[in-house]
Amino acid sequence: MFELGEPIWRSTIVIFDEISLPKPSRFFKRQLSVDGIRYKANVASWSFYIPELQLKLLHSFDGHCHCISKGAPSRTDILNGRNVLSTDRYTVKDWQNVYKKTVARRTAENFVSAVRLQNAGIGPKVLDVAFIRTFNAFYNSNPTWTCGLIIENLYKYPRKAQSTLQDLERAGVIPDRINSCIRQQIHGYVSDLNSVIGVMPTNADKDICELSSELENEIHATLHQHNQYA
């Protein structure tokens, strides 16, 4: 693990060489490997958190957002336009949009939202941005890459009153479509930002595009450098 020289977004891109996420089992239900060292992890539908490293990373399928929920529709079906949805909560287009979104773009969206939540006192402190050069996941036969945020562990925060939709509005953040960010708080703080239509910052298109582009450039430069010496 090492850090790129110049900080971006008032943070640093912290780079890890490799993370391997095995298929959940009785023995590996909450474990994964980071640069050859095994850590405990909290694995959710759209992301996973490694408390010891304070890493919250997105599930990635060939560099795009992915959902491992049992109820999630097949990527192949959705991207080919087949309606295999069992409910009308989301449309095929909704699922296509999130499956086509790069994890770099979603990381930029999450970064802006998370910083606003932190500044409003209803989210964890954002420490850095993380990039994983090689991400091996049980759901993807091809190694890929992923990224996410380094954020403080909310389970170590003292409990406070539950955050409200009004708190998010004042922070400049739009809740996810089904308000899971409100229902699934940790000690009164907003933690769950990802969904089919996830949490988003308001009036932040310019910042998101700039941050996403900067992260993509750093990723491509790092991968190019890595390939030269591979």
Side-chain angles (χ1 to χ4, degrees):
M1 180 185 74
F2 65 94
E3 298 179 355
L4 290 177
E6 293 296 323
I8 65 168
W9 318 348
R10 299 180 183 177
S11 294
T12 305
I13 297 182
V14 179
I15 300 176
F16 295 82
D17 284 327
E18 184 173 14
I19 286 185
S20 295
L21 179 65
K23 186 174 183 178
S25 68
R26 185 173 64 177
F27 299 104
F28 298 109
K29 185 176 182 180
R30 294 191 175 186
Q31 291 191 357
L32 47 68
S33 173
V34 181
D35 290 346
I37 301 173
R38 194 167 297 282
Y39 293 93
K40 291 183 178 179
N42 301 323
V43 181
S45 295
W46 294 95
S47 64
F48 54 97
Y49 186 65
I50 307 169
E52 190 171 345
L53 301 177
Q54 300 185 113
L55 266 176
K56 190 164 190 178
L57 300 169
L58 292 164
H59 287 299
S60 174
F61 195 100
D62 297 340
H64 296 82
C65 295
H66 185 64
C67 180
I68 65 169
S69 170
K70 290 182 179 179
S74 156
R75 293 186 70 90
T76 301
D77 286 335
I78 289 296
L79 295 177
N80 285 328
R82 290 192 285 270
N83 189 345
V84 293
L85 303 178
S86 57
T87 72
D88 59 0
R89 175 177 290 173
Y90 301 108
T91 66
V92 171
K93 185 64 176 177
D94 292 334
W95 278 99
Q96 286 178 335
N97 287 340
V98 70
Y99 277 169
K100 290 179 180 179
K101 182 175 291 188
T102 67
V103 290
R105 172 78 182 193
R106 185 57 190 163
T107 294
E109 294 170 351
N110 282 345
F111 181 88
V112 178
S113 294
V115 168
R116 291 184 180 184
L117 294 171
Q118 171 194 326
N119 291 340
I122 59 173
K125 183 177 181 179
V126 183
L127 302 173
D128 287 304
V129 177
F131 166 54
I132 314 305
R133 280 176 168 169
T134 303
F135 178 51
N136 301 296
F138 66 91
Y139 49 77
N140 188 0
S141 59
N142 301 315
T144 186
W145 55 272
T146 193
C147 49
L149 305 179
I150 302 179
I151 56 175
E152 290 186 341
N153 188 348
L154 283 173
Y155 284 106
K156 295 185 177 181
Y157 279 37
R159 293 184 181 275
K160 70 172 191 65
Q162 290 283 291
S163 301
T164 65
L165 289 173
Q166 291 72 28
D167 291 332
L168 265 73
E169 182 179 358
R170 285 191 289 268
V173 174
I174 302 170
D176 61 283
R177 168 77 65 83
I178 59 175
N179 289 337
S180 60
C181 66
I182 294 296
R183 296 195 312 274
Q184 299 176 9
Q185 296 180 46
I186 298 176
H187 290 189
Y189 295 87
V190 176
S191 171
D192 186 10
L193 305 184
N194 300 297
S195 185
V196 180
I197 300 178
V199 169
M200 285 289 292
T202 58
N203 302 317
D205 288 347
K206 183 174 182 291
D207 288 340
I208 290 170
C209 288
E210 289 179 355
L211 301 183
S212 177
S213 177
E214 193 164 356
L215 180 55
E216 292 272 14
N217 289 339
E218 296 288 3
I219 289 169
H220 293 157
T222 302
L223 290 175
H224 177 70
Q225 181 184 35
H226 180 64
N227 290 336
Q228 283 185 317
Y229 297 99

